[in-house]
Amino acid sequence: MGAMFRSEEMALCQLFIQPEAAYTSVSELGEAGTVQFRDLNAEVNAFQRKFVNEVRRCDEMERKLRYIEAEVHKDKVPVPPVKDMPRAPNPREIIDLEAHLEKTENEILELSHNAINLKQNYLELTELRHVLEKTEAFFAAQEEIGMDSLTKSLIADETGQQAATRGRLGFVAGVVQRERVPAFERMLWRISRGNVFLRRAELDKPLEDPNTGNEIYKTVFVAFFQGEQLKSRIKKVCSGFHASLYPCPPSNTERQDMVKGVRTRLEDLNMVLNQTRDHRQRVLVSVAKELASWSIMVRKMKAIYHTLNLFNMDVTKKCLIGECWVPTADLPNVQKALADGSNACGSSIPSFLNCIETDEVPPTFNRTNRFTRGFQNLIDAYGVASYRECNPALYTTITFPFLFAVMFGDLGHGCIMALFGAWMVIKEVSLSAKKSNNEIWNIFFAGRYIILLMGCFSMYTGLVYNDIFSKSMNIFGSSWFVPYDDYTLEHSKAFSLDPKASYIDTPYFIGIDPIWQTAENKIIFLNSYKMKLSIIFGVLHMIFGVCMSVVNYNFFKRRYSIILEFLPQVIFLCLLFLYMVFMMFFKWVAYSTLSEDPAYRQGCAPSVLILFINMMLFSSTEPEDDCKEFMFEGQGTIQRVFVLVALCCIPVMLLGKPLYLLSAKKKHVKPEQSNGNVNQGIELQEQTDISEVQPKPQAKSSGGHDHDDEPFSEIMIHQGIHTIEYVLSTISHTASYLRLWALSLAHAELSEVLWNMVLTFGLKDHNYIGAIKLYVAFFFWAFFTLAILVMMEGLSAFLHTLRLHWVEFMSKFYAGLGYIFQPFCFKTILEQEDEE
Amino acid sequence: MACKFCGPKLSLVGVVLSVWGIIQLTLMGVFYAIKSVALLEDLPLGGGHADINEFIGEVETGYTQNSHNCWIAALLYVITLVISGHQFWLNNRSSVSM
């Protein structure tokens, strides 16, 4: 237990693995996800590492998989997700997989190729058919006109040779893109000097381009000309404009036959195209079923080979050596994984695990479950804890929602937040299965336990503040009553309720009495109450933070710091600010309207702030008649003593530790032995019980190490900075906690304004039309409640609570100089690649 | 059945809002009916009462009027819930059957 109290103990281990068993062992370690490998080949280029060929194979397989995936997506074939994660394939399976992928890729390539060819043919035949059909009209018209203007002028005496003249008028027929037609016409006109006659007809339906699949609109044209030279010129123009020419037989019967032939050929081609499409569909569907699983297997393979590249080869070339950080508690698991790996490939020589000592700082690992992970992330976002430092995330699970709730206190809004959090938590299995790309939803879902707790705590503080959607509840019966008779009530505008006359001497059971919502001085009263509350919580939170440093000093064996740093710090904080908290409580208890002594009536209660300022400045204020300046006998002397002792703490904070270290260094003249060296030993030591594993890496925090080697001036400067920072922060951070009051005031006021301005629109009618107005008003009121009061105020209070934790609480004890433990784990690798 | 005029998100919003409206407006109606002091400032009142009994009478009619209004609005939200729920069910059914 104590998993969250501080980060886990880590051990630096060497793994000695047989080369045959290396792949399976690393596969087992990846499934377990408990070790972080170190790169032993940092100077080596990526292309010079041992397993670079295997990585290339994986890359090739990935490329084929990507191609197949693209084709599958193009045809919109659904890819079913994997049910359970497949393991990394063993060498035999790898060869099978490679062969299968190659075969599938070739098949799909061939199918695509054939499809393109077939479509090309189809396109040509379709265009030919269109040409034949459209040019029907042209030739029919031409025969009617008889081409008198063209022929008669040129060949005036050969009137009988209509057939011959018609034969001499050649034509070309073809298809061109619609956008190019005007330019095409103009070009023909120019090259022929007007001697070419062009007839065209547009095609209504677009044709599909086989390569790209785009749909293009085309136009059929027939160009009539005379002479061979013009024909060649026209052909050149056509090829320039990418117009396809088709041989069109001049006589009608031949055209009809051709049309019939083209039609049958088109039908045949259509059938073949459909069959090809079906075949392609079948292939893709059968591949799609395995696609996700193959993709995961290949990625795992690649990860394993990248990891194996981090290993070193032994001098005798008999085994692979790897270095890794392992949590000490997980050493049995790693042993088991290595044994499994050796068994899986049937190797006779088992693999070894050898723990070595080192001076390096291990990574920080906090074992979290789904509840604590959110809070740990909040702390890690500020800075990862130093190795084996006290983990503030443990306390954050309660202090964070509580401080949030102090700022957000409203039973209704808290209820909404708690319901939202509860829904996410109850449905978390099904919701986490749906992988969403929405960043905001992912953030909310990752913090679902935080939201649930914040909502529940807000419901509690809403009960204490007695605030539900800006109205108060009277559950236990108010402790105040109206003592006036009807005559007074009728003839006066405002009343004041004196507790002597209107209070029944027993307070409301829990929370603020509901009478306050009818009072004009509600805000004045609540201000005083909430401000004092904020200071009380703030001072207690900060004292808790300072006390946390004792645990750290004790663990890292810097006991001198407890006396020279912690003691003056906590004395300073308590004598000044805990005393202020004491004054607040004393004032609440000692002063009352029912008191017999006139110095302790409500008019005589001194301001705590003025008393505090006078205490610090050694001044005093004149009290009013019948009142006393101080709250109790001897307060003046006590205050003076406290201030003087606190001032004496400052030089202790400033000079205590540096002087102690100076004297300690003088005593240890001989140089300190370094604490063990990294054993790059090639000798294969027997790995016996883990309990006998000799010294774990010394948990030297970076602080302790530095102070041994630093010159005195550095230490003095550091200590000076820390002292000034601490002393100033006692006052500034205490005042900073007043944001607890400020935000709860803002929330209450916004809530009240929203009710009074929006919802009362439907509540002020004398007849039943009010119901309709209420129906509409409620809709807007609910919308603004959610948008402004829950979302905006919630985010704002979350941010301020986070700041209070990060700055005011953690600056009192937290170092946060560690680096996070990133184990080799297939699950995280696959998730990261999914996100990309 | 009738065609759907809301998408899945709008119908879900409608369902959630209607449930909230029903619960809150029913409770508000109950609180007006038991004449809770917290809701005293949200009553339809005129000014200038001659004596206290007239004031109290007007307050009581205001309470009953508002409680009825709240319950009628809650009923309207029941109708909204039925419509939104039906749309939501239609949307769910068509997406599942796809």
Side-chain angles (χ1 to χ4, degrees), chain A residues 280-318:
Chain A
R280 183 187 153 95
Q281 196 75 1
R282 274 198 302 275
V283 167
L284 287 177
V285 164
S286 72
V287 161
K289 285 193 211 116
E290 315 261 330
L291 204 59
S293 157
W294 284 347
S295 155
I296 290 176
M297 291 205 291
V298 170
R299 276 189 278 178
K300 281 192 182 177
M301 230 174 95
K302 200 160 140 186
I304 293 177
Y305 280 120
H306 275 306
T307 311
L308 282 175
N309 270 337
L310 304 175
F311 280 40
N312 233 345
M313 197 58 166
D314 173 25
V315 170
T316 60
K317 298 272 185 246
K318 288 243 187 72

mmCIF file of all heavy atoms in Angstrom, chain A residues 280-318:
data_model
loop_
_atom_site.group_PDB
_atom_site.id
_atom_site.type_symbol
_atom_site.label_atom_id
_atom_site.label_comp_id
_atom_site.label_asym_id
_atom_site.label_seq_id
_atom_site.Cartn_x
_atom_site.Cartn_y
_atom_site.Cartn_z
ATOM 1 N N ARG A 280 -13.581 -7.593 -57.555
ATOM 2 C CA ARG A 280 -12.816 -6.668 -56.718
ATOM 3 C C ARG A 280 -13.502 -6.505 -55.361
ATOM 4 O O ARG A 280 -12.835 -6.486 -54.315
ATOM 5 C CB ARG A 280 -12.728 -5.331 -57.445
ATOM 6 C CG ARG A 280 -11.909 -4.286 -56.735
ATOM 7 C CD ARG A 280 -12.058 -2.970 -57.474
ATOM 8 N NE ARG A 280 -11.873 -1.842 -56.593
ATOM 9 C CZ ARG A 280 -10.721 -1.206 -56.434
ATOM 10 N NH1 ARG A 280 -9.660 -1.605 -57.084
ATOM 11 N NH2 ARG A 280 -10.653 -0.185 -55.618
ATOM 12 N N GLN A 281 -14.818 -6.385 -55.398
ATOM 13 C CA GLN A 281 -15.555 -6.253 -54.151
ATOM 14 C C GLN A 281 -15.330 -7.457 -53.250
ATOM 15 O O GLN A 281 -15.094 -7.320 -52.056
ATOM 16 C CB GLN A 281 -17.054 -6.121 -54.481
ATOM 17 C CG GLN A 281 -17.891 -5.598 -53.355
ATOM 18 C CD GLN A 281 -17.712 -4.112 -53.153
ATOM 19 O OE1 GLN A 281 -16.951 -3.473 -53.890
ATOM 20 N NE2 GLN A 281 -18.356 -3.573 -52.170
ATOM 21 N N ARG A 282 -15.398 -8.650 -53.856
ATOM 22 C CA ARG A 282 -15.216 -9.855 -53.050
ATOM 23 C C ARG A 282 -13.837 -9.876 -52.414
ATOM 24 O O ARG A 282 -13.690 -10.176 -51.227
ATOM 25 C CB ARG A 282 -15.406 -11.115 -53.917
ATOM 26 C CG ARG A 282 -16.838 -11.559 -54.049
ATOM 27 C CD ARG A 282 -16.910 -12.998 -54.510
ATOM 28 N NE ARG A 282 -16.232 -13.199 -55.791
ATOM 29 C CZ ARG A 282 -16.811 -12.991 -56.975
ATOM 30 N NH1 ARG A 282 -18.070 -12.589 -57.018
ATOM 31 N NH2 ARG A 282 -16.131 -13.180 -58.087
ATOM 32 N N VAL A 283 -12.829 -9.551 -53.237
ATOM 33 C CA VAL A 283 -11.463 -9.574 -52.692
ATOM 34 C C VAL A 283 -11.333 -8.584 -51.535
ATOM 35 O O VAL A 283 -10.794 -8.904 -50.472
ATOM 36 C CB VAL A 283 -10.456 -9.229 -53.813
ATOM 37 C CG1 VAL A 283 -9.096 -8.930 -53.225
ATOM 38 C CG2 VAL A 283 -10.358 -10.373 -54.788
ATOM 39 N N LEU A 284 -11.870 -7.366 -51.757
ATOM 40 C CA LEU A 284 -11.719 -6.351 -50.724
ATOM 41 C C LEU A 284 -12.464 -6.738 -49.456
ATOM 42 O O LEU A 284 -11.968 -6.518 -48.351
ATOM 43 C CB LEU A 284 -12.221 -5.003 -51.245
ATOM 44 C CG LEU A 284 -11.316 -4.349 -52.264
ATOM 45 C CD1 LEU A 284 -11.941 -3.067 -52.767
ATOM 46 C CD2 LEU A 284 -9.955 -4.059 -51.672
ATOM 47 N N VAL A 285 -13.662 -7.302 -49.597
ATOM 48 C CA VAL A 285 -14.418 -7.661 -48.399
ATOM 49 C C VAL A 285 -13.675 -8.723 -47.610
ATOM 50 O O VAL A 285 -13.584 -8.653 -46.386
ATOM 51 C CB VAL A 285 -15.832 -8.136 -48.783
ATOM 52 C CG1 VAL A 285 -16.473 -8.865 -47.626
ATOM 53 C CG2 VAL A 285 -16.699 -6.969 -49.184
ATOM 54 N N SER A 286 -13.108 -9.710 -48.337
ATOM 55 C CA SER A 286 -12.410 -10.769 -47.592
ATOM 56 C C SER A 286 -11.157 -10.227 -46.921
ATOM 57 O O SER A 286 -10.769 -10.685 -45.852
ATOM 58 C CB SER A 286 -12.077 -11.927 -48.526
ATOM 59 O OG SER A 286 -11.033 -11.546 -49.393
ATOM 60 N N VAL A 287 -10.518 -9.244 -47.537
ATOM 61 C CA VAL A 287 -9.318 -8.668 -46.917
ATOM 62 C C VAL A 287 -9.695 -7.799 -45.725
ATOM 63 O O VAL A 287 -9.030 -7.792 -44.691
ATOM 64 C CB VAL A 287 -8.535 -7.843 -47.959
ATOM 65 C CG1 VAL A 287 -7.602 -6.880 -47.280
ATOM 66 C CG2 VAL A 287 -7.756 -8.753 -48.855
ATOM 67 N N ALA A 288 -10.810 -7.063 -45.868
ATOM 68 C CA ALA A 288 -11.182 -6.089 -44.840
ATOM 69 C C ALA A 288 -11.366 -6.740 -43.485
ATOM 70 O O ALA A 288 -11.120 -6.130 -42.449
ATOM 71 C CB ALA A 288 -12.458 -5.363 -45.256
ATOM 72 N N LYS A 289 -11.805 -7.996 -43.497
ATOM 73 C CA LYS A 289 -12.044 -8.650 -42.206
ATOM 74 C C LYS A 289 -10.753 -8.765 -41.408
ATOM 75 O O LYS A 289 -10.751 -8.658 -40.193
ATOM 76 C CB LYS A 289 -12.614 -10.058 -42.439
ATOM 77 C CG LYS A 289 -14.048 -10.059 -42.863
ATOM 78 C CD LYS A 289 -14.649 -11.457 -42.775
ATOM 79 C CE LYS A 289 -15.724 -11.587 -43.847
ATOM 80 N NZ LYS A 289 -15.463 -12.548 -44.865
ATOM 81 N N GLU A 290 -9.648 -8.996 -42.104
ATOM 82 C CA GLU A 290 -8.393 -9.233 -41.391
ATOM 83 C C GLU A 290 -7.580 -7.968 -41.239
ATOM 84 O O GLU A 290 -6.560 -7.963 -40.560
ATOM 85 C CB GLU A 290 -7.532 -10.218 -42.194
ATOM 86 C CG GLU A 290 -8.270 -11.399 -42.715
ATOM 87 C CD GLU A 290 -8.042 -12.581 -41.816
ATOM 88 O OE1 GLU A 290 -6.967 -12.619 -41.215
ATOM 89 O OE2 GLU A 290 -8.927 -13.424 -41.709
ATOM 90 N N LEU A 291 -8.009 -6.902 -41.894
ATOM 91 C CA LEU A 291 -7.140 -5.730 -42.047
ATOM 92 C C LEU A 291 -6.719 -5.140 -40.713
ATOM 93 O O LEU A 291 -5.539 -4.893 -40.479
ATOM 94 C CB LEU A 291 -7.896 -4.678 -42.865
ATOM 95 C CG LEU A 291 -7.021 -3.681 -43.593
ATOM 96 C CD1 LEU A 291 -6.109 -4.407 -44.536
ATOM 97 C CD2 LEU A 291 -7.911 -2.735 -44.369
ATOM 98 N N ALA A 292 -7.680 -4.939 -39.816
ATOM 99 C CA ALA A 292 -7.338 -4.289 -38.544
ATOM 100 C C ALA A 292 -6.360 -5.150 -37.751
ATOM 101 O O ALA A 292 -5.379 -4.654 -37.190
ATOM 102 C CB ALA A 292 -8.609 -4.041 -37.737
ATOM 103 N N SER A 293 -6.617 -6.457 -37.752
ATOM 104 C CA SER A 293 -5.761 -7.346 -36.973
ATOM 105 C C SER A 293 -4.338 -7.369 -37.536
ATOM 106 O O SER A 293 -3.358 -7.300 -36.789
ATOM 107 C CB SER A 293 -6.408 -8.733 -36.996
ATOM 108 O OG SER A 293 -5.469 -9.707 -36.761
ATOM 109 N N TRP A 294 -4.228 -7.438 -38.882
ATOM 110 C CA TRP A 294 -2.885 -7.435 -39.492
ATOM 111 C C TRP A 294 -2.151 -6.145 -39.162
ATOM 112 O O TRP A 294 -0.957 -6.150 -38.858
ATOM 113 C CB TRP A 294 -3.000 -7.532 -41.017
ATOM 114 C CG TRP A 294 -3.328 -8.876 -41.520
ATOM 115 C CD1 TRP A 294 -3.285 -10.051 -40.826
ATOM 116 C CD2 TRP A 294 -3.764 -9.195 -42.821
ATOM 117 N NE1 TRP A 294 -3.664 -11.083 -41.624
ATOM 118 C CE2 TRP A 294 -3.961 -10.590 -42.865
ATOM 119 C CE3 TRP A 294 -4.006 -8.456 -43.978
ATOM 120 C CZ2 TRP A 294 -4.401 -11.241 -44.014
ATOM 121 C CZ3 TRP A 294 -4.429 -9.114 -45.110
ATOM 122 C CH2 TRP A 294 -4.623 -10.492 -45.131
ATOM 123 N N SER A 295 -2.892 -5.052 -39.253
ATOM 124 C CA SER A 295 -2.254 -3.757 -39.018
ATOM 125 C C SER A 295 -1.680 -3.696 -37.606
ATOM 126 O O SER A 295 -0.550 -3.233 -37.389
ATOM 127 C CB SER A 295 -3.310 -2.684 -39.286
ATOM 128 O OG SER A 295 -3.049 -1.570 -38.614
ATOM 129 N N ILE A 296 -2.436 -4.217 -36.634
ATOM 130 C CA ILE A 296 -1.931 -4.202 -35.260
ATOM 131 C C ILE A 296 -0.710 -5.102 -35.140
ATOM 132 O O ILE A 296 0.286 -4.739 -34.492
ATOM 133 C CB ILE A 296 -3.041 -4.655 -34.294
ATOM 134 C CG1 ILE A 296 -4.106 -3.586 -34.224
ATOM 135 C CG2 ILE A 296 -2.490 -4.940 -32.921
ATOM 136 C CD1 ILE A 296 -5.273 -3.982 -33.389
ATOM 137 N N MET A 297 -0.754 -6.274 -35.779
ATOM 138 C CA MET A 297 0.377 -7.202 -35.676
ATOM 139 C C MET A 297 1.638 -6.568 -36.248
ATOM 140 O O MET A 297 2.716 -6.670 -35.659
ATOM 141 C CB MET A 297 0.050 -8.511 -36.406
ATOM 142 C CG MET A 297 -1.015 -9.310 -35.716
ATOM 143 S SD MET A 297 -0.963 -11.064 -36.060
ATOM 144 C CE MET A 297 -1.437 -11.112 -37.756
ATOM 145 N N VAL A 298 1.483 -5.897 -37.398
ATOM 146 C CA VAL A 298 2.670 -5.302 -38.019
ATOM 147 C C VAL A 298 3.221 -4.176 -37.148
ATOM 148 O O VAL A 298 4.445 -4.032 -36.985
ATOM 149 C CB VAL A 298 2.326 -4.786 -39.429
ATOM 150 C CG1 VAL A 298 3.455 -3.957 -39.981
ATOM 151 C CG2 VAL A 298 2.048 -5.948 -40.338
ATOM 152 N N ARG A 299 2.316 -3.393 -36.544
ATOM 153 C CA ARG A 299 2.813 -2.307 -35.702
ATOM 154 C C ARG A 299 3.547 -2.836 -34.474
ATOM 155 O O ARG A 299 4.550 -2.276 -34.046
ATOM 156 C CB ARG A 299 1.664 -1.402 -35.279
ATOM 157 C CG ARG A 299 1.354 -0.358 -36.338
ATOM 158 C CD ARG A 299 0.387 0.656 -35.864
ATOM 159 N NE ARG A 299 -0.968 0.164 -35.980
ATOM 160 C CZ ARG A 299 -2.028 0.859 -35.596
ATOM 161 N NH1 ARG A 299 -1.874 2.033 -35.050
ATOM 162 N NH2 ARG A 299 -3.216 0.366 -35.724
ATOM 163 N N LYS A 300 3.000 -3.912 -33.904
ATOM 164 C CA LYS A 300 3.679 -4.501 -32.747
ATOM 165 C C LYS A 300 5.056 -5.018 -33.150
ATOM 166 O O LYS A 300 6.045 -4.828 -32.427
ATOM 167 C CB LYS A 300 2.846 -5.657 -32.192
ATOM 168 C CG LYS A 300 1.692 -5.207 -31.347
ATOM 169 C CD LYS A 300 1.085 -6.389 -30.594
ATOM 170 C CE LYS A 300 -0.108 -5.922 -29.783
ATOM 171 N NZ LYS A 300 -0.769 -7.023 -29.092
ATOM 172 N N MET A 301 5.104 -5.646 -34.327
ATOM 173 C CA MET A 301 6.384 -6.164 -34.810
ATOM 174 C C MET A 301 7.404 -5.049 -34.918
ATOM 175 O O MET A 301 8.553 -5.174 -34.477
ATOM 176 C CB MET A 301 6.158 -6.746 -36.205
ATOM 177 C CG MET A 301 6.670 -8.101 -36.422
ATOM 178 S SD MET A 301 6.159 -8.647 -38.021
ATOM 179 C CE MET A 301 7.581 -8.228 -38.966
ATOM 180 N N LYS A 302 6.955 -3.948 -35.523
ATOM 181 C CA LYS A 302 7.874 -2.828 -35.718
ATOM 182 C C LYS A 302 8.360 -2.293 -34.384
ATOM 183 O O LYS A 302 9.548 -1.997 -34.206
ATOM 184 C CB LYS A 302 7.135 -1.742 -36.493
ATOM 185 C CG LYS A 302 8.043 -0.775 -37.171
ATOM 186 C CD LYS A 302 7.309 -0.061 -38.268
ATOM 187 C CE LYS A 302 7.728 1.385 -38.243
ATOM 188 N NZ LYS A 302 6.992 2.208 -39.149
ATOM 189 N N ALA A 303 7.440 -2.204 -33.413
ATOM 190 C CA ALA A 303 7.834 -1.695 -32.098
ATOM 191 C C ALA A 303 8.871 -2.599 -31.470
ATOM 192 O O ALA A 303 9.840 -2.140 -30.863
ATOM 193 C CB ALA A 303 6.596 -1.582 -31.200
ATOM 194 N N ILE A 304 8.658 -3.922 -31.626
ATOM 195 C CA ILE A 304 9.610 -4.862 -31.039
ATOM 196 C C ILE A 304 10.987 -4.680 -31.674
ATOM 197 O O ILE A 304 12.008 -4.645 -30.973
ATOM 198 C CB ILE A 304 9.124 -6.308 -31.234
ATOM 199 C CG1 ILE A 304 7.859 -6.536 -30.425
ATOM 200 C CG2 ILE A 304 10.194 -7.288 -30.809
ATOM 201 C CD1 ILE A 304 7.287 -7.903 -30.622
ATOM 202 N N TYR A 305 11.045 -4.539 -32.994
ATOM 203 C CA TYR A 305 12.357 -4.410 -33.633
ATOM 204 C C TYR A 305 13.022 -3.081 -33.290
ATOM 205 O O TYR A 305 14.234 -3.006 -33.122
ATOM 206 C CB TYR A 305 12.234 -4.600 -35.141
ATOM 207 C CG TYR A 305 12.149 -6.055 -35.515
ATOM 208 C CD1 TYR A 305 11.051 -6.564 -36.184
ATOM 209 C CD2 TYR A 305 13.156 -6.937 -35.152
ATOM 210 C CE1 TYR A 305 10.967 -7.903 -36.501
ATOM 211 C CE2 TYR A 305 13.078 -8.277 -35.451
ATOM 212 C CZ TYR A 305 11.981 -8.758 -36.126
ATOM 213 O OH TYR A 305 11.891 -10.085 -36.429
ATOM 214 N N HIS A 306 12.230 -2.016 -33.170
ATOM 215 C CA HIS A 306 12.827 -0.757 -32.730
ATOM 216 C C HIS A 306 13.425 -0.917 -31.341
ATOM 217 O O HIS A 306 14.503 -0.397 -31.050
ATOM 218 C CB HIS A 306 11.769 0.351 -32.713
ATOM 219 C CG HIS A 306 11.577 0.999 -34.036
ATOM 220 N ND1 HIS A 306 12.612 1.534 -34.749
ATOM 221 C CD2 HIS A 306 10.465 1.190 -34.785
ATOM 222 C CE1 HIS A 306 12.144 2.033 -35.889
ATOM 223 N NE2 HIS A 306 10.852 1.839 -35.935
ATOM 224 N N THR A 307 12.711 -1.644 -30.462
ATOM 225 C CA THR A 307 13.231 -1.854 -29.118
ATOM 226 C C THR A 307 14.484 -2.710 -29.149
ATOM 227 O O THR A 307 15.460 -2.441 -28.431
ATOM 228 C CB THR A 307 12.162 -2.539 -28.253
ATOM 229 O OG1 THR A 307 10.945 -1.828 -28.400
ATOM 230 C CG2 THR A 307 12.581 -2.559 -26.810
ATOM 231 N N LEU A 308 14.462 -3.758 -29.980
ATOM 232 C CA LEU A 308 15.644 -4.619 -30.053
ATOM 233 C C LEU A 308 16.855 -3.845 -30.547
ATOM 234 O O LEU A 308 17.990 -4.173 -30.215
ATOM 235 C CB LEU A 308 15.373 -5.816 -30.969
ATOM 236 C CG LEU A 308 14.546 -6.920 -30.326
ATOM 237 C CD1 LEU A 308 14.230 -7.996 -31.330
ATOM 238 C CD2 LEU A 308 15.289 -7.525 -29.149
ATOM 239 N N ASN A 309 16.598 -2.802 -31.341
ATOM 240 C CA ASN A 309 17.711 -1.972 -31.805
ATOM 241 C C ASN A 309 18.367 -1.216 -30.672
ATOM 242 O O ASN A 309 19.480 -0.711 -30.831
ATOM 243 C CB ASN A 309 17.209 -0.988 -32.865
ATOM 244 C CG ASN A 309 17.305 -1.562 -34.257
ATOM 245 O OD1 ASN A 309 18.087 -2.469 -34.502
ATOM 246 N ND2 ASN A 309 16.497 -1.053 -35.167
ATOM 247 N N LEU A 310 17.667 -1.070 -29.533
ATOM 248 C CA LEU A 310 18.269 -0.377 -28.410
ATOM 249 C C LEU A 310 19.245 -1.276 -27.650
ATOM 250 O O LEU A 310 19.990 -0.807 -26.806
ATOM 251 C CB LEU A 310 17.174 0.091 -27.436
ATOM 252 C CG LEU A 310 16.076 0.982 -28.003
ATOM 253 C CD1 LEU A 310 15.042 1.242 -26.928
ATOM 254 C CD2 LEU A 310 16.641 2.291 -28.499
ATOM 255 N N PHE A 311 19.216 -2.587 -27.931
ATOM 256 C CA PHE A 311 20.047 -3.533 -27.192
ATOM 257 C C PHE A 311 21.475 -3.515 -27.716
ATOM 258 O O PHE A 311 21.749 -3.087 -28.819
ATOM 259 C CB PHE A 311 19.490 -4.951 -27.345
ATOM 260 C CG PHE A 311 18.320 -5.258 -26.457
ATOM 261 C CD1 PHE A 311 17.329 -4.317 -26.242
ATOM 262 C CD2 PHE A 311 18.215 -6.479 -25.850
ATOM 263 C CE1 PHE A 311 16.255 -4.610 -25.439
ATOM 264 C CE2 PHE A 311 17.138 -6.780 -25.036
ATOM 265 C CZ PHE A 311 16.160 -5.848 -24.839
ATOM 266 N N ASN A 312 22.340 -4.041 -26.883
ATOM 267 C CA ASN A 312 23.755 -4.162 -27.228
ATOM 268 C C ASN A 312 24.077 -5.635 -27.445
ATOM 269 O O ASN A 312 23.532 -6.491 -26.780
ATOM 270 C CB ASN A 312 24.591 -3.661 -26.045
ATOM 271 C CG ASN A 312 25.567 -2.625 -26.494
ATOM 272 O OD1 ASN A 312 25.813 -2.473 -27.675
ATOM 273 N ND2 ASN A 312 26.125 -1.927 -25.535
ATOM 274 N N MET A 313 25.034 -5.903 -28.333
ATOM 275 C CA MET A 313 25.423 -7.300 -28.513
ATOM 276 C C MET A 313 26.612 -7.585 -27.609
ATOM 277 O O MET A 313 27.540 -6.804 -27.509
ATOM 278 C CB MET A 313 25.807 -7.550 -29.978
ATOM 279 C CG MET A 313 25.830 -9.009 -30.325
ATOM 280 S SD MET A 313 24.248 -9.778 -30.020
ATOM 281 C CE MET A 313 24.449 -11.304 -30.879
ATOM 282 N N ASP A 314 26.554 -8.717 -26.943
ATOM 283 C CA ASP A 314 27.601 -9.136 -26.032
ATOM 284 C C ASP A 314 28.916 -9.355 -26.776
ATOM 285 O O ASP A 314 28.923 -9.630 -27.971
ATOM 286 C CB ASP A 314 27.112 -10.421 -25.359
ATOM 287 C CG ASP A 314 28.176 -11.038 -24.520
ATOM 288 O OD1 ASP A 314 29.061 -10.297 -24.092
ATOM 289 O OD2 ASP A 314 28.089 -12.248 -24.316
ATOM 290 N N VAL A 315 30.046 -9.229 -26.059
ATOM 291 C CA VAL A 315 31.366 -9.366 -26.694
ATOM 292 C C VAL A 315 31.506 -10.742 -27.348
ATOM 293 O O VAL A 315 32.016 -10.880 -28.446
ATOM 294 C CB VAL A 315 32.482 -9.165 -25.646
ATOM 295 C CG1 VAL A 315 33.813 -9.546 -26.230
ATOM 296 C CG2 VAL A 315 32.502 -7.722 -25.205
ATOM 297 N N THR A 316 30.998 -11.746 -26.644
ATOM 298 C CA THR A 316 31.136 -13.104 -27.178
ATOM 299 C C THR A 316 30.073 -13.410 -28.223
ATOM 300 O O THR A 316 30.003 -14.521 -28.733
ATOM 301 C CB THR A 316 30.998 -14.134 -26.053
ATOM 302 O OG1 THR A 316 29.693 -13.961 -25.475
ATOM 303 C CG2 THR A 316 32.043 -13.901 -24.987
ATOM 304 N N LYS A 317 29.238 -12.408 -28.537
ATOM 305 C CA LYS A 317 28.180 -12.552 -29.533
ATOM 306 C C LYS A 317 27.203 -13.658 -29.190
ATOM 307 O O LYS A 317 26.556 -14.218 -30.058
ATOM 308 C CB LYS A 317 28.771 -12.825 -30.940
ATOM 309 C CG LYS A 317 29.636 -11.707 -31.445
ATOM 310 C CD LYS A 317 28.801 -10.666 -32.179
ATOM 311 C CE LYS A 317 29.697 -9.607 -32.779
ATOM 312 N NZ LYS A 317 29.490 -8.309 -32.158
ATOM 313 N N LYS A 318 27.114 -13.965 -27.868
ATOM 314 C CA LYS A 318 26.235 -15.088 -27.520
ATOM 315 C C LYS A 318 24.901 -14.613 -26.985
ATOM 316 O O LYS A 318 23.960 -15.366 -26.888
ATOM 317 C CB LYS A 318 26.899 -15.954 -26.435
ATOM 318 C CG LYS A 318 28.053 -16.753 -26.945
ATOM 319 C CD LYS A 318 27.770 -18.248 -26.825
ATOM 320 C CE LYS A 318 29.024 -19.039 -27.193
ATOM 321 N NZ LYS A 318 30.072 -18.920 -26.148
#
